[in-house]
Amino acid sequence: MLFNKKNISYELDQDNIPGHIAFIMDGNGRWAKKRKMPRTYGHHEGTKTIRKIALEANRLGVKAMTVYAFSTENFKRDINEVNYIFKLPKEFFDLYLKELIENNVQLRYIGHLEMAPKETRDIIEKAISQTSQNTGLILTFAFIYGGRDEIVETTKELCQQCLDGKISVDNINEDYFEKHLMTTDLPPVDLMIRTSGEYRLSNFMLWQLAYAEFVFTDIHWPAFDETELHRCIAIYQGRERRFGGVLK
């Protein structure tokens, strides 16, 4: 598949499209600051990028896309910014839910939605319900999510199963543990993309990214577009994935 924009072309192998792409959507605030706008404006524009990239990923045949929307640590931010982020789901789904449904996109979330305001919870749960029968791209919002928290919560759940006599310690292996993570019904993450020039995971999907390919870009999330998505996928396709083994 050849993609052209502004005289840039990426020849993508349609047989090697990553099945699951995870995004750390960084740089909303810095993008806004460069334009002498408040950080909230960056978050507003960032939601447009989610819509744009989800539709393009769906068109390419990506099976799942997970975006780091709000971490467990983001509560440390200014309360006005936090409150604004909690209002974004309503804005996003009011604008784009119909289009996502028309494109067969299914919506999900991972994290602690119970910690969000009731209006935010209701909006997200309604969107998930309305798209539950769709069979295209699975767009998952990691919302009030932390990778360490997910592993701790899963460990506690399995400990309780042992205490209740439902399983023995010998039943617990990597496969069993993975089936009790929040992402149990999602395909393995093949590619993780982080925007805005930062080179860390920031507590995102720590278990799931064990064998994912990482691509870091200096572009801030609101400016991330289809061209950059194709470039990141081209980088992914240029790598050899050995999963700890040796290619023959």
Side-chain angles (χ1 to χ4, degrees):
M1 179 181 294
L2 189 64
F3 181 75
N4 294 284
K5 185 178 179 182
K6 298 179 181 178
N7 298 319
I8 299 174
S9 300
Y10 297 104
E11 186 74 44
L12 298 182
D13 179 359
Q14 192 60 33
D15 294 326
N16 189 24
I17 298 295
H20 186 173
I21 305 177
F23 289 91
I24 300 179
M25 308 179 294
D26 202 10
N28 289 339
R30 278 165 284 174
W31 180 88
K33 184 177 181 181
K34 286 178 64 176
R35 288 156 180 79
K36 302 187 185 305
M37 298 292 287
R39 290 177 58 85
T40 52
Y41 179 68
H43 294 308
H44 167 79
E45 292 299 300
T47 62
K48 296 180 182 179
T49 302
I50 296 174
R51 170 254 175 199
K52 176 171 54 183
I53 297 305
L55 292 177
E56 180 62 11
N58 188 45
R59 189 186 72 81
L60 286 172
V62 176
K63 303 301 182 185
M65 169 177 160
T66 300
V67 295
Y68 204 7
F70 191 89
S71 77
T72 50
E73 291 81 20
N74 285 158
F75 282 108
K76 300 174 184 177
R77 296 186 177 187
D78 179 82
I79 187 62
N80 293 320
E81 182 177 355
V82 171
N83 288 338
Y84 181 82
I85 292 172
F86 281 144
K87 294 176 182 177
L88 283 176
K90 182 179 189 306
E91 178 182 309
F92 181 82
F93 293 128
D94 282 351
L95 288 172
Y96 306 127
L97 181 58
K98 183 175 183 292
E99 184 179 26
L100 293 172
I101 291 173
E102 290 172 349
N103 282 274
N104 200 28
V105 173
Q106 182 185 137
L107 298 167
R108 297 187 190 178
Y109 83 90
I110 57 174
H112 292 284
L113 189 60
E114 71 278 4
M115 295 174 64
K118 184 179 185 304
E119 180 182 15
T120 304
R121 295 198 309 268
D122 291 346
I123 289 166
I124 294 175
E125 289 170 351
K126 182 179 179 181
I128 289 171
S129 176
Q130 288 181 293
T131 63
S132 62
Q133 300 304 310
N134 291 351
T135 58
L137 175 80
I138 300 172
L139 174 58
T140 302
F141 291 85
F143 197 73
I144 314 181
Y145 170 87
R148 288 180 175 179
D149 171 79
E150 180 184 23
I151 292 171
V152 169
E153 289 299 311
T154 300
T155 302
K156 287 163 65 176
E157 179 185 348
L158 300 190
C159 287
Q160 191 62 54
Q161 288 185 19
C162 289
L163 291 172
D164 292 342
K166 296 179 180 178
I167 61 171
S168 72
V169 172
D170 292 336
N171 294 128
I172 302 174
N173 55 29
E174 289 188 14
D175 289 339
Y176 192 81
F177 192 93
E178 191 166 59
K179 288 176 182 176
H180 290 79
L181 293 170
M182 297 175 183
T183 54
T184 181
D185 294 327
L186 295 175
V189 180
D190 293 312
L191 171 62
M192 189 285 296
I193 299 171
R194 179 164 187 159
T195 58
S196 197
E198 303 292 349
Y199 295 85
R200 55 181 176 271
L201 295 182
S202 296
N203 200 20
F204 181 52
M205 301 184 83
L206 300 179
W207 178 284
Q208 296 86 346
L209 296 180
Y211 282 103
E213 296 296 325
F214 295 176
V215 175
F216 299 95
T217 173
D218 290 336
I219 294 175
H220 295 142
W221 178 250
F224 191 91
D225 60 11
E226 296 93 338
T227 301
E228 189 65 5
L229 174 65
H230 279 252
R231 187 184 76 86
C232 292
I233 293 175
I235 292 172
Y236 164 85
Q237 292 184 346
R239 294 179 180 172
E240 294 182 347
R241 304 187 73 201
R242 294 185 293 274
F243 300 98
V246 178
L247 292 180
K248 296 180 180 180

